[in-house]
Amino acid sequence: AYRAAGRLEEAITLYEQVFSGRSRVLGPDHRSTLMSRDELAGAYREAGRFEEAITLKKQILADAMRIMGPDSPGASAARSNLAATYRDAGRLNEAITLCQENLDNVTRTLGLDHLETLASRHRLAGAHRDAGRLHEAIALFEQNLEDRTRTLGLDHPETLASRHSLAGAYRDAGRLDEAIPLFEQNLTDFIRILGPDRPDTFTSRSTLAGAYREVGKLDDAISLFEQNLIDRTRTLGPAHPVTLTSRGNLASAYRAAGRMEDAEKLFGTP
């Protein structure tokens, strides 16, 4: 309850007590002890106490490999969680090494088209992207989009996520002429599959609008930002933080287009 309420330090104190007690009474390898260590590590990570989280997650990985085997699903999950914590802590080289190791393992044990293989490749691509290694990230994202399209179909949520990630990597690399068609396709598909009022649809429209703005297509960007503000005001209310973000995006686009009076009406300030 403390953790759900964002009272992380209080939650951590309780997790530490539970972990200590279970370790003493049940032993370090008992299932309940392992679960307690994982919960404590997760709370440390949420609180930004990354070094403490990493210490525990290293132990979790070592235990999973010793108890279940290095190629087990449990070891794969533990390796992935440790890599994610390295990534959060900015230790990207270590994250990339673990992500690559996980991808190699699941590819060997599960095959190229297994969902976990595709997920592992996606995580590795994201780590490369975070590290600014866009060439490596794009190659992995391109492969994942191709494989997910082939195995899951064009309309599967994971395929849409792969297309969005690839488009974002193209955008980061300045390849907006390749990013924009993917963002456009994703918005069309989200509207068709999920409907116009879903959060993923709003996010997709905002992302496309931002890409249009970057290439100077301000009229197109403004049209999308206007639609997002209308829809989010209707579905979330005018004072919702996401609605306020939409209003700010639109006002900024108005100003970029020289439409200062329209921007002032939204910002409420000159």
Side-chain angles (χ1 to χ4, degrees), residues 171 183 203-214 217 220-225 228:
R171 180 178 176 178
F183 285 137
T203 299
S204 180
R205 186 184 293 124
S206 181
T207 302
L208 174 58
Y212 281 150
R213 181 179 172 183
E214 286 187 45
K217 299 174 69 172
D220 292 326
I222 286 170
S223 178
L224 292 178
F225 281 136
N228 249 16

Side-chain angles (χ1 to χ4, degrees), residues 19-34:
F19 175 54
S20 177
R22 286 178 171 173
S23 297
R24 184 181 67 257
V25 175
L26 301 175
D29 291 344
H30 192 280
R31 179 179 178 85
S32 295
T33 305
L34 299 176

Side-chain angles (χ1 to χ4, degrees), residues 141-142 145 160 162-171 175-190 204 207-208:
F141 282 136
E142 286 175 336
L145 177 57
L160 299 179
S162 286
R163 188 185 300 129
H164 180 83
S165 295
L166 174 58
Y170 282 150
R171 180 178 176 178
R175 295 165 60 175
L176 284 160
D177 56 331
E178 294 169 278
I180 285 174
L182 295 181
F183 285 137
E184 289 172 335
Q185 184 177 349
N186 251 21
L187 176 58
T188 299
D189 289 346
F190 275 128
S204 180
T207 302
L208 174 58

Side-chain angles (χ1 to χ4, degrees), residues 7-246:
R7 297 167 61 176
L8 290 173
E9 290 305 320
E10 292 163 289
I12 285 170
T13 298
L14 292 179
Y15 282 135
E16 288 173 337
Q17 292 171 353
V18 171
F19 175 54
S20 177
R22 286 178 171 173
S23 297
R24 184 181 67 257
V25 175
L26 301 175
D29 291 344
H30 192 280
R31 179 179 178 85
S32 295
T33 305
L34 299 176
M35 288 177 58
S36 290
R37 184 187 291 128
D38 189 58
E39 289 170 342
L40 176 57
Y44 281 147
R45 180 182 174 190
E46 286 182 37
R49 294 168 59 172
F50 296 124
E51 293 309 313
E52 292 162 290
I54 286 168
T55 297
L56 289 181
K57 286 183 179 292
K58 282 182 175 179
Q59 187 61 56
I60 291 168
L61 174 57
D63 289 345
M65 294 175 66
R66 175 174 55 84
I67 297 168
M68 293 177 279
D71 293 335
S72 66
S76 178
R79 194 178 292 113
S80 179
N81 287 334
L82 175 56
T85 308
Y86 278 141
R87 193 171 166 183
D88 289 345
R91 295 168 59 172
L92 294 173
N93 288 335
E94 291 161 292
I96 288 169
T97 297
L98 280 182
C99 287
Q100 184 66 65
E101 184 179 340
N102 231 22
L103 177 59
D104 292 342
N105 284 353
V106 296
T107 301
R108 175 172 48 81
T109 58
L110 301 176
L112 283 169
D113 291 340
H114 194 279
L115 291 177
E116 183 55 35
T117 302
L118 301 177
S120 294
R121 188 187 295 132
H122 184 87
R123 289 189 287 267
L124 175 59
H128 279 305
R129 181 181 176 185
D130 286 350
R133 297 166 62 173
L134 293 174
H135 179 76
E136 292 89 340
I138 285 170
L140 292 167
F141 282 136
E142 286 175 336
Q143 186 62 54
N144 245 24
L145 177 57
E146 179 181 331
D147 290 347
R148 280 177 165 165
T149 301
R150 174 174 51 80
T151 59
L152 300 174
L154 283 168
D155 293 346
H156 193 280
E158 296 298 333
T159 304
L160 299 179
S162 286
R163 188 185 300 129
H164 180 83
S165 295
L166 174 58
Y170 282 150
R171 180 178 176 178
D172 289 349
R175 295 165 60 175
L176 284 160
D177 56 331
E178 294 169 278
I180 285 174
L182 295 181
F183 285 137
E184 289 172 335
Q185 184 177 349
N186 251 21
L187 176 58
T188 299
D189 289 346
F190 275 128
I191 293 172
R192 175 175 56 84
I193 297 166
L194 302 178
D197 292 339
R198 293 292 295 272
D200 285 340
T201 303
F202 296 151
T203 299
S204 180
R205 186 184 293 124
S206 181
T207 302
L208 174 58
Y212 281 150
R213 181 179 172 183
E214 286 187 45
V215 297
K217 299 174 69 172
L218 290 174
D219 288 342
D220 292 326
I222 286 170
S223 178
L224 292 178
F225 281 136
E226 286 175 336
Q227 187 63 55
N228 249 16
L229 178 57
I230 291 169
D231 290 347
R232 281 177 162 160
T233 300
R234 174 173 51 79
T235 58
L236 299 174
H240 193 281
V242 176
T243 305
L244 298 178
T245 297
S246 293

